[in-house]
Every structure is written in C-alpha cells, then in structure tokens.
Amino acid sequence: MNHTDLSNSVIFPRGEKLPEIFSKNFNGQAYLRMLSASGDEWNCPIGNVTFEPGCRNNWHRHPGGQILLVTGGRGWYQEEGSAAQKLRPGNVIRIPANVKHWHGAAKDSWFVHLSIETNCQAGPAEWLEPVSTAEYAKLK
Amino acid sequence: MNHTDLSNSVIFPRGEKLPEIFSKNFNGQAYLRMLSASGDEWNCPIGNVTFEPGCRNNWHRHPGGQILLVTGGRGWYQEEGSAAQKLRPGNVIRIPANVKHWHGAAKDSWFVHLSIETNCQAGPAEWLEPVSTAEYAKLK
C-alpha cells in the first residue's frame, strides 16, 4: 500500500477545498486549483484536482468530453458498463462526450490529476448519482 | 546549476525526437509524445515536450493561443517586446492568440512542459526566425 502524503498536491498548487457547487457531487474531500479559467479567450478550463484517500466524484457526463492527466498517487476511472481501471501517474484518460463515468482516489491513497474540459461550448457537466458504496468498497 | 537528468522526461512519456516538421523550427534536440492528438473529437492537442539543455524553439505565433504547464527542469518563455521570464515546475503560461513568442530550456538544464493548443480551429502555428544566439547566450 502506498500512503505517500500528497496533501500538497504534485507539481501544481493544491488550491482550496472544492466549492459547494462541486463538493456536493463528491464523496470525501478534494481540492481544486484552476490553472486556466472557463469563459476566457483560451476557452479551455484546466484544473489541478487533488483527492484525499477514498474521495471520488459522483457519476457524471461531459457534453464536450474531458481529458485527465494523472500526476500523482493511485486512483480509479470507470465508464458505465465497464470495469473500473486503475490509474497511476503518467496515465491519460480521454473521456468521450456524454459517456457516463466517475473518477477518484483509491481507498488508501491520495490521487492527483489535471482535468482539461474539451469542447466546453457544448455545455457544463451533468451530475448524477453517487458511486455505490458497496461497489467502491470492492475495488482493489 | 541544476544538471538533473530529465532525459526520460517527467511523469509522462518522453516520446520520440521531434519530427522534421517541428525540428526545423527548433535549435537543439527536443522530444515529443502526443498525449491527445489533433483532429479528433476532443479537439485539444496535448503534447509532452522534453528539451535537452540549450534547446529552444524559434519565434512563433499560435492563431488560437496555447497553454504551457511546466513539469520539470528550468527554462525560458519570452514574448516579443518583453524580457524573457524564467520557468520552473508548476508555472503555467497562457499565450494569447497571435502573440509572437518562444520557449525552451536553460543553457544548463533539461526542461519539460505540457503544451495544450487552444482554439485550434483557428489554424496551425506560424513559425518565424530563430532566437538570436547572442540574446539567448545572455540569459541567466
């Protein structure tokens, strides 16, 4: 088991606890620092997201897709209808538009990824139900 | 001076020597691994770029802008008409559309950044003249 303390994130700043607009869609504590904002001329929101051990987000969909670049720790990514896959630093996950999915930390590890929202003119994420506690508990 | 060997890049794969289409616009050796390609549904080309010590690119412009996320080593970023600024891991550079600039490694350090091309429907980069050898030599 890897208990490396990534409470200060990896390379990029950890930022603050998620604002309520996001935290209500997470189980556990995560931190966010936006590296490039929404709604400006770059049109490419980039966030550095740091998950405490056990923290994961609810099932959701992005109408324009999303790219995750894993920079630290161990975590999970799951698409609806597929097995969860383990994530490690260096992994790149390209989430197609409108595919239902979740991502987050392993039970016993901090986890850090960059999140890049693509084609964001398509609209904001659609947030859905939490990941089943029983299903998450089975992951190893 | 920092001579840390980043010849295997940082977190993400180093990839291969730049293809000719890019290397002709660089002075020195750099390596590229595309993490998300051009021309697909994500519409957001992301490259991991690893520069050998002393390597830099020519002056150029991106018609849709670009974002650099520095992950390793020490380097430089300069916009036309401004002094070059030092880059270190954790720095984020947001290059506005059509601003003439260059980036690359310090003379005595490997340098690694992620490159995210934004608004790429605006068209490809416009490559210009090399950075003056005398001006680069003065940087410290």
Side-chain angles (χ1 to χ4, degrees), chain A residues 11-12 35-37 40-44 46 66-67 69-71 90-92 94-97 114 116 118-119, chain B residues 11-12 35-37 40-44 46 66-67 69-71 90 92 94-97 114 116 118-119:
Chain A
I11 300 181
F12 300 100
L35 303 180
S36 191
D40 62 18
E41 67 171 281
W42 287 274
N43 190 38
C44 184
I46 304 174
Q66 184 185 31
I67 299 172
L69 304 177
V70 180
T71 56
N91 289 163
V92 176
R94 303 198 309 156
I95 306 168
L114 297 165
I116 300 166
T118 55
N119 305 298
Chain B
I11 299 181
F12 300 99
L35 303 179
S36 192
D40 63 18
E41 69 172 278
W42 287 273
N43 191 37
C44 184
I46 304 174
Q66 183 186 31
I67 299 172
L69 305 177
V70 180
T71 57
V92 176
R94 304 199 309 156
I95 306 167
L114 297 165
I116 300 167
T118 56
N119 305 298

mmCIF file of all heavy atoms in Angstrom, chain A residues 11-12 35-37 40-44 46 66-67 69-71 90-92 94-97 114 116 118-119, chain B residues 11-12 35-37 40-44 46 66-67 69-71 90 92 94-97 114 116 118-119:
data_model
loop_
_atom_site.group_PDB
_atom_site.id
_atom_site.type_symbol
_atom_site.label_atom_id
_atom_site.label_comp_id
_atom_site.label_asym_id
_atom_site.label_seq_id
_atom_site.Cartn_x
_atom_site.Cartn_y
_atom_site.Cartn_z
ATOM 1 N N ILE A 11 3.479 18.989 -8.224
ATOM 2 C CA ILE A 11 3.974 19.997 -9.193
ATOM 3 C C ILE A 11 3.142 21.281 -9.156
ATOM 4 O O ILE A 11 3.679 22.360 -8.939
ATOM 5 C CB ILE A 11 4.050 19.461 -10.634
ATOM 6 C CG1 ILE A 11 4.999 18.259 -10.701
ATOM 7 C CG2 ILE A 11 4.500 20.571 -11.600
ATOM 8 C CD1 ILE A 11 5.157 17.657 -12.095
ATOM 9 N N PHE A 12 1.819 21.169 -9.379
ATOM 10 C CA PHE A 12 0.966 22.362 -9.434
ATOM 11 C C PHE A 12 0.315 22.581 -8.069
ATOM 12 O O PHE A 12 0.190 21.652 -7.267
ATOM 13 C CB PHE A 12 -0.058 22.197 -10.561
ATOM 14 C CG PHE A 12 0.620 22.024 -11.878
ATOM 15 C CD1 PHE A 12 0.778 20.769 -12.443
ATOM 16 C CD2 PHE A 12 1.186 23.114 -12.520
ATOM 17 C CE1 PHE A 12 1.481 20.601 -13.635
ATOM 18 C CE2 PHE A 12 1.892 22.964 -13.715
ATOM 19 C CZ PHE A 12 2.034 21.698 -14.267
ATOM 20 N N LEU A 35 -6.058 26.229 -13.217
ATOM 21 C CA LEU A 35 -4.829 26.716 -13.859
ATOM 22 C C LEU A 35 -5.155 27.566 -15.081
ATOM 23 O O LEU A 35 -4.337 28.385 -15.504
ATOM 24 C CB LEU A 35 -3.943 25.530 -14.267
ATOM 25 C CG LEU A 35 -3.547 24.582 -13.131
ATOM 26 C CD1 LEU A 35 -2.681 23.447 -13.676
ATOM 27 C CD2 LEU A 35 -2.833 25.301 -12.000
ATOM 28 N N SER A 36 -6.335 27.345 -15.640
ATOM 29 C CA SER A 36 -6.843 28.200 -16.713
ATOM 30 C C SER A 36 -8.360 28.194 -16.560
ATOM 31 O O SER A 36 -8.967 27.121 -16.432
ATOM 32 C CB SER A 36 -6.404 27.672 -18.084
ATOM 33 O OG SER A 36 -6.672 28.631 -19.104
ATOM 34 N N ALA A 37 -8.954 29.368 -16.534
ATOM 35 C CA ALA A 37 -10.373 29.501 -16.175
ATOM 36 C C ALA A 37 -11.297 29.205 -17.347
ATOM 37 O O ALA A 37 -10.882 29.150 -18.499
ATOM 38 C CB ALA A 37 -10.618 30.920 -15.686
ATOM 39 N N ASP A 40 -12.770 32.402 -20.853
ATOM 40 C CA ASP A 40 -11.836 33.409 -21.348
ATOM 41 C C ASP A 40 -11.414 33.047 -22.766
ATOM 42 O O ASP A 40 -11.950 32.125 -23.376
ATOM 43 C CB ASP A 40 -10.644 33.569 -20.393
ATOM 44 C CG ASP A 40 -9.831 32.303 -20.269
ATOM 45 O OD1 ASP A 40 -9.955 31.418 -21.135
ATOM 46 O OD2 ASP A 40 -9.070 32.195 -19.296
ATOM 47 N N GLU A 41 -10.441 33.777 -23.289
ATOM 48 C CA GLU A 41 -10.111 33.587 -24.703
ATOM 49 C C GLU A 41 -9.500 32.224 -25.006
ATOM 50 O O GLU A 41 -9.508 31.795 -26.159
ATOM 51 C CB GLU A 41 -9.178 34.707 -25.187
ATOM 52 C CG GLU A 41 -7.803 34.677 -24.552
ATOM 53 C CD GLU A 41 -6.832 35.667 -25.210
ATOM 54 O OE1 GLU A 41 -6.288 35.383 -26.281
ATOM 55 O OE2 GLU A 41 -6.649 36.729 -24.617
ATOM 56 N N TRP A 42 -8.927 31.533 -23.995
ATOM 57 C CA TRP A 42 -8.350 30.209 -24.253
ATOM 58 C C TRP A 42 -9.448 29.145 -24.353
ATOM 59 O O TRP A 42 -9.242 28.106 -24.945
ATOM 60 C CB TRP A 42 -7.304 29.856 -23.195
ATOM 61 C CG TRP A 42 -6.057 30.654 -23.385
ATOM 62 C CD1 TRP A 42 -5.004 30.351 -24.206
ATOM 63 C CD2 TRP A 42 -5.746 31.928 -22.803
ATOM 64 N NE1 TRP A 42 -4.065 31.341 -24.153
ATOM 65 C CE2 TRP A 42 -4.476 32.321 -23.302
ATOM 66 C CE3 TRP A 42 -6.373 32.770 -21.897
ATOM 67 C CZ2 TRP A 42 -3.855 33.517 -22.933
ATOM 68 C CZ3 TRP A 42 -5.759 33.960 -21.535
ATOM 69 C CH2 TRP A 42 -4.532 34.320 -22.047
ATOM 70 N N ASN A 43 -10.571 29.371 -23.700
ATOM 71 C CA ASN A 43 -11.729 28.503 -23.872
ATOM 72 C C ASN A 43 -11.390 27.050 -23.534
ATOM 73 O O ASN A 43 -11.834 26.112 -24.199
ATOM 74 C CB ASN A 43 -12.213 28.616 -25.331
ATOM 75 C CG ASN A 43 -13.545 27.953 -25.568
ATOM 76 O OD1 ASN A 43 -14.430 28.021 -24.724
ATOM 77 N ND2 ASN A 43 -13.683 27.297 -26.707
ATOM 78 N N CYS A 44 -10.580 26.881 -22.496
ATOM 79 C CA CYS A 44 -10.051 25.545 -22.183
ATOM 80 C C CYS A 44 -9.814 25.438 -20.677
ATOM 81 O O CYS A 44 -8.685 25.583 -20.211
ATOM 82 C CB CYS A 44 -8.731 25.348 -22.945
ATOM 83 S SG CYS A 44 -7.998 23.719 -22.755
ATOM 84 N N ILE A 46 -8.744 24.311 -17.250
ATOM 85 C CA ILE A 46 -7.804 23.302 -16.749
ATOM 86 C C ILE A 46 -7.776 23.418 -15.233
ATOM 87 O O ILE A 46 -7.530 24.504 -14.698
ATOM 88 C CB ILE A 46 -6.386 23.523 -17.297
ATOM 89 C CG1 ILE A 46 -6.403 23.537 -18.831
ATOM 90 C CG2 ILE A 46 -5.438 22.452 -16.774
ATOM 91 C CD1 ILE A 46 -5.052 23.884 -19.444
ATOM 92 N N GLN A 66 -13.760 15.240 -21.855
ATOM 93 C CA GLN A 66 -12.788 15.665 -20.835
ATOM 94 C C GLN A 66 -11.530 14.819 -21.000
ATOM 95 O O GLN A 66 -11.605 13.661 -21.451
ATOM 96 C CB GLN A 66 -13.376 15.446 -19.437
ATOM 97 C CG GLN A 66 -12.516 15.920 -18.270
ATOM 98 C CD GLN A 66 -13.120 15.543 -16.919
ATOM 99 O OE1 GLN A 66 -13.796 14.511 -16.807
ATOM 100 N NE2 GLN A 66 -12.884 16.346 -15.900
ATOM 101 N N ILE A 67 -10.379 15.403 -20.632
ATOM 102 C CA ILE A 67 -9.119 14.653 -20.628
ATOM 103 C C ILE A 67 -8.512 14.747 -19.231
ATOM 104 O O ILE A 67 -8.428 15.842 -18.660
ATOM 105 C CB ILE A 67 -8.139 15.196 -21.683
ATOM 106 C CG1 ILE A 67 -8.758 15.065 -23.084
ATOM 107 C CG2 ILE A 67 -6.799 14.459 -21.618
ATOM 108 C CD1 ILE A 67 -7.962 15.741 -24.196
ATOM 109 N N LEU A 69 -5.101 13.919 -16.965
ATOM 110 C CA LEU A 69 -3.662 13.617 -16.991
ATOM 111 C C LEU A 69 -3.250 13.333 -15.545
ATOM 112 O O LEU A 69 -3.237 14.250 -14.708
ATOM 113 C CB LEU A 69 -2.868 14.811 -17.531
ATOM 114 C CG LEU A 69 -3.256 15.358 -18.910
ATOM 115 C CD1 LEU A 69 -2.401 16.591 -19.247
ATOM 116 C CD2 LEU A 69 -3.116 14.311 -19.998
ATOM 117 N N VAL A 70 -2.932 12.078 -15.251
ATOM 118 C CA VAL A 70 -2.662 11.687 -13.865
ATOM 119 C C VAL A 70 -1.227 12.041 -13.490
ATOM 120 O O VAL A 70 -0.283 11.614 -14.161
ATOM 121 C CB VAL A 70 -2.909 10.187 -13.663
ATOM 122 C CG1 VAL A 70 -2.633 9.800 -12.207
ATOM 123 C CG2 VAL A 70 -4.334 9.822 -14.064
ATOM 124 N N THR A 71 -1.082 12.819 -12.406
ATOM 125 C CA THR A 71 0.251 13.261 -11.987
ATOM 126 C C THR A 71 0.711 12.665 -10.660
ATOM 127 O O THR A 71 1.906 12.749 -10.341
ATOM 128 C CB THR A 71 0.312 14.799 -11.879
ATOM 129 O OG1 THR A 71 -0.710 15.224 -10.981
ATOM 130 C CG2 THR A 71 0.107 15.455 -13.238
ATOM 131 N N GLY A 90 1.167 9.350 -15.074
ATOM 132 C CA GLY A 90 1.514 9.143 -16.477
ATOM 133 C C GLY A 90 0.344 8.650 -17.299
ATOM 134 O O GLY A 90 0.399 8.690 -18.529
ATOM 135 N N ASN A 91 -0.716 8.159 -16.636
ATOM 136 C CA ASN A 91 -1.893 7.704 -17.385
ATOM 137 C C ASN A 91 -2.651 8.907 -17.940
ATOM 138 O O ASN A 91 -2.746 9.956 -17.289
ATOM 139 C CB ASN A 91 -2.830 6.884 -16.507
ATOM 140 C CG ASN A 91 -2.307 5.510 -16.129
ATOM 141 O OD1 ASN A 91 -2.806 4.904 -15.199
ATOM 142 N ND2 ASN A 91 -1.305 5.017 -16.834
ATOM 143 N N VAL A 92 -3.192 8.723 -19.126
ATOM 144 C CA VAL A 92 -4.006 9.735 -19.796
ATOM 145 C C VAL A 92 -5.355 9.100 -20.103
ATOM 146 O O VAL A 92 -5.414 8.052 -20.742
ATOM 147 C CB VAL A 92 -3.338 10.206 -21.104
ATOM 148 C CG1 VAL A 92 -4.233 11.197 -21.856
ATOM 149 C CG2 VAL A 92 -1.975 10.823 -20.818
ATOM 150 N N ARG A 94 -8.999 9.785 -21.844
ATOM 151 C CA ARG A 94 -9.773 10.674 -22.712
ATOM 152 C C ARG A 94 -11.219 10.206 -22.665
ATOM 153 O O ARG A 94 -11.549 9.101 -23.121
ATOM 154 C CB ARG A 94 -9.208 10.651 -24.122
ATOM 155 C CG ARG A 94 -7.704 11.045 -24.068
ATOM 156 C CD ARG A 94 -7.162 11.476 -25.394
ATOM 157 N NE ARG A 94 -7.460 10.532 -26.442
ATOM 158 C CZ ARG A 94 -7.508 10.862 -27.735
ATOM 159 N NH1 ARG A 94 -7.302 12.115 -28.103
ATOM 160 N NH2 ARG A 94 -7.755 9.954 -28.636
ATOM 161 N N ILE A 95 -12.054 11.020 -22.072
ATOM 162 C CA ILE A 95 -13.442 10.650 -21.803
ATOM 163 C C ILE A 95 -14.310 11.226 -22.922
ATOM 164 O O ILE A 95 -14.381 12.448 -23.087
ATOM 165 C CB ILE A 95 -13.891 11.205 -20.440
ATOM 166 C CG1 ILE A 95 -12.914 10.751 -19.350
ATOM 167 C CG2 ILE A 95 -15.320 10.783 -20.134
ATOM 168 C CD1 ILE A 95 -13.081 11.472 -18.014
ATOM 169 N N PRO A 96 -14.952 10.358 -23.686
ATOM 170 C CA PRO A 96 -15.753 10.875 -24.804
ATOM 171 C C PRO A 96 -16.968 11.660 -24.307
ATOM 172 O O PRO A 96 -17.457 11.460 -23.182
ATOM 173 C CB PRO A 96 -16.201 9.605 -25.541
ATOM 174 C CG PRO A 96 -15.251 8.539 -25.096
ATOM 175 C CD PRO A 96 -14.907 8.894 -23.671
ATOM 176 N N ALA A 97 -17.456 12.521 -25.150
ATOM 177 C CA ALA A 97 -18.646 13.308 -24.844
ATOM 178 C C ALA A 97 -19.798 12.381 -24.454
ATOM 179 O O ALA A 97 -20.031 11.348 -25.083
ATOM 180 C CB ALA A 97 -19.036 14.136 -26.067
ATOM 181 N N LEU A 114 -4.667 16.366 -13.487
ATOM 182 C CA LEU A 114 -5.096 17.557 -14.208
ATOM 183 C C LEU A 114 -6.362 17.187 -14.968
ATOM 184 O O LEU A 114 -6.469 16.083 -15.518
ATOM 185 C CB LEU A 114 -4.009 17.999 -15.192
ATOM 186 C CG LEU A 114 -2.688 18.421 -14.548
ATOM 187 C CD1 LEU A 114 -1.585 18.485 -15.604
ATOM 188 C CD2 LEU A 114 -2.838 19.756 -13.839
ATOM 189 N N ILE A 116 -8.852 18.559 -18.027
ATOM 190 C CA ILE A 116 -8.978 19.505 -19.141
ATOM 191 C C ILE A 116 -10.348 19.304 -19.759
ATOM 192 O O ILE A 116 -10.656 18.215 -20.254
ATOM 193 C CB ILE A 116 -7.853 19.268 -20.169
ATOM 194 C CG1 ILE A 116 -6.496 19.458 -19.487
ATOM 195 C CG2 ILE A 116 -8.024 20.192 -21.376
ATOM 196 C CD1 ILE A 116 -5.336 18.934 -20.268
ATOM 197 N N THR A 118 -12.888 19.750 -22.610
ATOM 198 C CA THR A 118 -12.765 19.962 -24.056
ATOM 199 C C THR A 118 -14.116 20.357 -24.644
ATOM 200 O O THR A 118 -15.175 20.012 -24.092
ATOM 201 C CB THR A 118 -12.220 18.686 -24.716
ATOM 202 O OG1 THR A 118 -13.055 17.583 -24.372
ATOM 203 C CG2 THR A 118 -10.807 18.399 -24.230
ATOM 204 N N ASN A 119 -14.061 21.068 -25.730
ATOM 205 C CA ASN A 119 -15.293 21.486 -26.432
ATOM 206 C C ASN A 119 -16.308 22.055 -25.454
ATOM 207 O O ASN A 119 -17.497 21.701 -25.482
ATOM 208 C CB ASN A 119 -15.915 20.284 -27.167
ATOM 209 C CG ASN A 119 -14.944 19.608 -28.113
ATOM 210 O OD1 ASN A 119 -14.477 20.224 -29.051
ATOM 211 N ND2 ASN A 119 -14.615 18.350 -27.846
ATOM 212 N N ILE B 11 6.990 12.294 -15.440
ATOM 213 C CA ILE B 11 5.635 11.728 -15.295
ATOM 214 C C ILE B 11 5.126 11.123 -16.615
ATOM 215 O O ILE B 11 4.777 9.949 -16.644
ATOM 216 C CB ILE B 11 4.605 12.745 -14.761
ATOM 217 C CG1 ILE B 11 5.037 13.243 -13.361
ATOM 218 C CG2 ILE B 11 3.201 12.115 -14.690
ATOM 219 C CD1 ILE B 11 4.065 14.239 -12.724
ATOM 220 N N PHE B 12 5.082 11.911 -17.680
ATOM 221 C CA PHE B 12 4.539 11.420 -18.943
ATOM 222 C C PHE B 12 5.687 10.947 -19.839
ATOM 223 O O PHE B 12 6.832 11.380 -19.676
ATOM 224 C CB PHE B 12 3.683 12.512 -19.601
ATOM 225 C CG PHE B 12 2.546 12.911 -18.699
ATOM 226 C CD1 PHE B 12 2.622 14.051 -17.913
ATOM 227 C CD2 PHE B 12 1.434 12.090 -18.572
ATOM 228 C CE1 PHE B 12 1.601 14.384 -17.031
ATOM 229 C CE2 PHE B 12 0.404 12.420 -17.697
ATOM 230 C CZ PHE B 12 0.488 13.561 -16.918
ATOM 231 N N LEU B 35 -0.121 13.350 -26.222
ATOM 232 C CA LEU B 35 -0.995 12.680 -25.249
ATOM 233 C C LEU B 35 -2.447 12.715 -25.722
ATOM 234 O O LEU B 35 -3.264 11.901 -25.292
ATOM 235 C CB LEU B 35 -0.870 13.361 -23.884
ATOM 236 C CG LEU B 35 0.546 13.412 -23.299
ATOM 237 C CD1 LEU B 35 0.528 14.130 -21.944
ATOM 238 C CD2 LEU B 35 1.158 12.026 -23.158
ATOM 239 N N SER B 36 -2.773 13.682 -26.560
ATOM 240 C CA SER B 36 -4.083 13.735 -27.212
ATOM 241 C C SER B 36 -3.843 14.381 -28.575
ATOM 242 O O SER B 36 -3.191 15.425 -28.660
ATOM 243 C CB SER B 36 -5.077 14.546 -26.363
ATOM 244 O OG SER B 36 -6.405 14.366 -26.845
ATOM 245 N N ALA B 37 -4.326 13.729 -29.610
ATOM 246 C CA ALA B 37 -3.974 14.119 -30.980
ATOM 247 C C ALA B 37 -4.793 15.298 -31.478
ATOM 248 O O ALA B 37 -5.820 15.665 -30.901
ATOM 249 C CB ALA B 37 -4.164 12.928 -31.908
ATOM 250 N N ASP B 40 -9.285 15.052 -33.637
ATOM 251 C CA ASP B 40 -10.251 14.054 -33.172
ATOM 252 C C ASP B 40 -11.370 14.766 -32.398
ATOM 253 O O ASP B 40 -11.441 15.993 -32.364
ATOM 254 C CB ASP B 40 -9.571 12.972 -32.334
ATOM 255 C CG ASP B 40 -8.943 13.524 -31.066
ATOM 256 O OD1 ASP B 40 -9.300 14.646 -30.631
ATOM 257 O OD2 ASP B 40 -8.087 12.837 -30.498
ATOM 258 N N GLU B 41 -12.221 13.986 -31.769
ATOM 259 C CA GLU B 41 -13.408 14.591 -31.155
ATOM 260 C C GLU B 41 -13.076 15.488 -29.965
ATOM 261 O O GLU B 41 -13.885 16.339 -29.603
ATOM 262 C CB GLU B 41 -14.407 13.504 -30.740
ATOM 263 C CG GLU B 41 -13.938 12.643 -29.585
ATOM 264 C CD GLU B 41 -15.040 11.715 -29.077
ATOM 265 O OE1 GLU B 41 -15.900 12.151 -28.274
ATOM 266 O OE2 GLU B 41 -15.034 10.546 -29.501
ATOM 267 N N TRP B 42 -11.904 15.298 -29.337
ATOM 268 C CA TRP B 42 -11.560 16.169 -28.200
ATOM 269 C C TRP B 42 -11.100 17.551 -28.675
ATOM 270 O O TRP B 42 -11.163 18.507 -27.935
ATOM 271 C CB TRP B 42 -10.524 15.493 -27.293
ATOM 272 C CG TRP B 42 -11.154 14.386 -26.512
ATOM 273 C CD1 TRP B 42 -11.799 14.497 -25.310
ATOM 274 C CD2 TRP B 42 -11.254 13.011 -26.884
ATOM 275 N NE1 TRP B 42 -12.285 13.272 -24.925
ATOM 276 C CE2 TRP B 42 -11.967 12.344 -25.861
ATOM 277 C CE3 TRP B 42 -10.812 12.259 -27.976
ATOM 278 C CZ2 TRP B 42 -12.252 10.971 -25.907
ATOM 279 C CZ3 TRP B 42 -11.083 10.912 -28.023
ATOM 280 C CH2 TRP B 42 -11.804 10.280 -27.000
ATOM 281 N N ASN B 43 -10.549 17.611 -29.878
ATOM 282 C CA ASN B 43 -10.212 18.895 -30.496
ATOM 283 C C ASN B 43 -9.255 19.713 -29.616
ATOM 284 O O ASN B 43 -9.378 20.924 -29.494
ATOM 285 C CB ASN B 43 -11.521 19.681 -30.722
ATOM 286 C CG ASN B 43 -11.331 20.898 -31.585
ATOM 287 O OD1 ASN B 43 -10.551 20.880 -32.537
ATOM 288 N ND2 ASN B 43 -12.027 21.978 -31.243
ATOM 289 N N CYS B 44 -8.326 19.007 -28.983
ATOM 290 C CA CYS B 44 -7.470 19.649 -27.978
ATOM 291 C C CYS B 44 -6.106 18.957 -27.968
ATOM 292 O O CYS B 44 -5.845 18.106 -27.120
ATOM 293 C CB CYS B 44 -8.149 19.526 -26.610
ATOM 294 S SG CYS B 44 -7.271 20.365 -25.275
ATOM 295 N N ILE B 46 -2.620 17.851 -27.097
ATOM 296 C CA ILE B 46 -1.780 17.967 -25.905
ATOM 297 C C ILE B 46 -0.495 17.198 -26.173
ATOM 298 O O ILE B 46 -0.540 16.017 -26.524
ATOM 299 C CB ILE B 46 -2.462 17.383 -24.657
ATOM 300 C CG1 ILE B 46 -3.817 18.048 -24.418
ATOM 301 C CG2 ILE B 46 -1.558 17.528 -23.429
ATOM 302 C CD1 ILE B 46 -4.618 17.412 -23.284
ATOM 303 N N GLN B 66 -2.159 29.171 -26.807
ATOM 304 C CA GLN B 66 -1.522 27.937 -26.300
ATOM 305 C C GLN B 66 -1.346 28.085 -24.787
ATOM 306 O O GLN B 66 -1.198 29.213 -24.284
ATOM 307 C CB GLN B 66 -0.148 27.771 -26.959
ATOM 308 C CG GLN B 66 0.613 26.493 -26.584
ATOM 309 C CD GLN B 66 2.030 26.486 -27.180
ATOM 310 O OE1 GLN B 66 2.646 27.537 -27.348
ATOM 311 N NE2 GLN B 66 2.536 25.298 -27.476
ATOM 312 N N ILE B 67 -1.374 26.953 -24.082
ATOM 313 C CA ILE B 67 -1.102 26.943 -22.638
ATOM 314 C C ILE B 67 0.051 25.976 -22.376
ATOM 315 O O ILE B 67 0.037 24.848 -22.873
ATOM 316 C CB ILE B 67 -2.362 26.529 -21.842
ATOM 317 C CG1 ILE B 67 -3.500 27.530 -22.101
ATOM 318 C CG2 ILE B 67 -2.053 26.434 -20.345
ATOM 319 C CD1 ILE B 67 -4.846 27.114 -21.520
ATOM 320 N N LEU B 69 2.199 24.031 -19.361
ATOM 321 C CA LEU B 69 2.215 23.605 -17.951
ATOM 322 C C LEU B 69 3.592 23.003 -17.704
ATOM 323 O O LEU B 69 3.921 21.929 -18.232
ATOM 324 C CB LEU B 69 1.131 22.552 -17.689
ATOM 325 C CG LEU B 69 -0.313 22.921 -18.056
ATOM 326 C CD1 LEU B 69 -1.236 21.716 -17.793
ATOM 327 C CD2 LEU B 69 -0.792 24.126 -17.272
ATOM 328 N N VAL B 70 4.417 23.688 -16.914
ATOM 329 C CA VAL B 70 5.812 23.263 -16.738
ATOM 330 C C VAL B 70 5.880 22.152 -15.684
ATOM 331 O O VAL B 70 5.422 22.332 -14.551
ATOM 332 C CB VAL B 70 6.704 24.443 -16.322
ATOM 333 C CG1 VAL B 70 8.149 23.981 -16.153
ATOM 334 C CG2 VAL B 70 6.618 25.561 -17.357
ATOM 335 N N THR B 71 6.473 21.026 -16.067
ATOM 336 C CA THR B 71 6.555 19.871 -15.158
ATOM 337 C C THR B 71 7.971 19.540 -14.714
ATOM 338 O O THR B 71 8.128 18.779 -13.749
ATOM 339 C CB THR B 71 5.922 18.624 -15.800
ATOM 340 O OG1 THR B 71 6.586 18.380 -17.049
ATOM 341 C CG2 THR B 71 4.424 18.807 -16.036
ATOM 342 N N GLY B 90 5.565 23.807 -12.127
ATOM 343 C CA GLY B 90 4.391 24.418 -11.515
ATOM 344 C C GLY B 90 3.973 25.712 -12.181
ATOM 345 O O GLY B 90 2.859 26.185 -11.967
ATOM 346 N N VAL B 92 2.564 28.095 -15.049
ATOM 347 C CA VAL B 92 1.552 27.978 -16.102
ATOM 348 C C VAL B 92 1.678 29.234 -16.970
ATOM 349 O O VAL B 92 1.596 30.354 -16.456
ATOM 350 C CB VAL B 92 0.142 27.895 -15.511
ATOM 351 C CG1 VAL B 92 -0.912 27.873 -16.612
ATOM 352 C CG2 VAL B 92 0.012 26.666 -14.605
ATOM 353 N N ARG B 94 0.049 31.175 -20.194
ATOM 354 C CA ARG B 94 -1.070 31.230 -21.132
ATOM 355 C C ARG B 94 -0.708 32.239 -22.220
ATOM 356 O O ARG B 94 -0.592 33.436 -21.942
ATOM 357 C CB ARG B 94 -2.347 31.603 -20.395
ATOM 358 C CG ARG B 94 -2.587 30.600 -19.241
ATOM 359 C CD ARG B 94 -3.991 30.578 -18.738
ATOM 360 N NE ARG B 94 -4.473 31.892 -18.416
ATOM 361 C CZ ARG B 94 -5.765 32.211 -18.394
ATOM 362 N NH1 ARG B 94 -6.673 31.302 -18.679
ATOM 363 N NH2 ARG B 94 -6.139 33.423 -18.066
ATOM 364 N N ILE B 95 -0.502 31.732 -23.414
ATOM 365 C CA ILE B 95 -0.003 32.545 -24.523
ATOM 366 C C ILE B 95 -1.199 32.987 -25.359
ATOM 367 O O ILE B 95 -1.900 32.154 -25.929
ATOM 368 C CB ILE B 95 0.977 31.726 -25.385
ATOM 369 C CG1 ILE B 95 2.089 31.143 -24.500
ATOM 370 C CG2 ILE B 95 1.534 32.579 -26.511
ATOM 371 C CD1 ILE B 95 2.919 30.074 -25.176
ATOM 372 N N PRO B 96 -1.440 34.292 -25.413
ATOM 373 C CA PRO B 96 -2.608 34.743 -26.173
ATOM 374 C C PRO B 96 -2.450 34.488 -27.673
ATOM 375 O O PRO B 96 -1.328 34.379 -28.186
ATOM 376 C CB PRO B 96 -2.647 36.253 -25.881
ATOM 377 C CG PRO B 96 -1.822 36.455 -24.646
ATOM 378 C CD PRO B 96 -0.759 35.401 -24.737
ATOM 379 N N ALA B 97 -3.570 34.427 -28.340
ATOM 380 C CA ALA B 97 -3.572 34.245 -29.792
ATOM 381 C C ALA B 97 -2.719 35.309 -30.463
ATOM 382 O O ALA B 97 -2.779 36.497 -30.101
ATOM 383 C CB ALA B 97 -5.004 34.314 -30.304
ATOM 384 N N LEU B 114 4.113 20.422 -20.630
ATOM 385 C CA LEU B 114 2.952 20.020 -21.413
ATOM 386 C C LEU B 114 2.541 21.228 -22.246
ATOM 387 O O LEU B 114 2.565 22.371 -21.757
ATOM 388 C CB LEU B 114 1.804 19.596 -20.491
ATOM 389 C CG LEU B 114 2.093 18.384 -19.610
ATOM 390 C CD1 LEU B 114 1.054 18.277 -18.488
ATOM 391 C CD2 LEU B 114 2.093 17.107 -20.439
ATOM 392 N N ILE B 116 -0.635 22.664 -24.539
ATOM 393 C CA ILE B 116 -2.045 22.483 -24.883
ATOM 394 C C ILE B 116 -2.402 23.544 -25.912
ATOM 395 O O ILE B 116 -2.321 24.747 -25.627
ATOM 396 C CB ILE B 116 -2.921 22.605 -23.618
ATOM 397 C CG1 ILE B 116 -2.495 21.534 -22.616
ATOM 398 C CG2 ILE B 116 -4.404 22.486 -23.980
ATOM 399 C CD1 ILE B 116 -3.042 21.731 -21.224
ATOM 400 N N THR B 118 -4.968 25.637 -27.885
ATOM 401 C CA THR B 118 -6.351 26.046 -27.642
ATOM 402 C C THR B 118 -6.958 26.628 -28.918
ATOM 403 O O THR B 118 -6.236 27.128 -29.787
ATOM 404 C CB THR B 118 -6.387 27.065 -26.488
ATOM 405 O OG1 THR B 118 -5.529 28.159 -26.786
ATOM 406 C CG2 THR B 118 -5.916 26.428 -25.180
ATOM 407 N N ASN B 119 -8.271 26.535 -29.002
ATOM 408 C CA ASN B 119 -8.991 27.093 -30.163
ATOM 409 C C ASN B 119 -8.306 26.692 -31.463
ATOM 410 O O ASN B 119 -8.070 27.523 -32.350
ATOM 411 C CB ASN B 119 -9.043 28.631 -30.063
ATOM 412 C CG ASN B 119 -9.631 29.103 -28.750
ATOM 413 O OD1 ASN B 119 -10.783 28.830 -28.451
ATOM 414 N ND2 ASN B 119 -8.839 29.796 -27.938
#
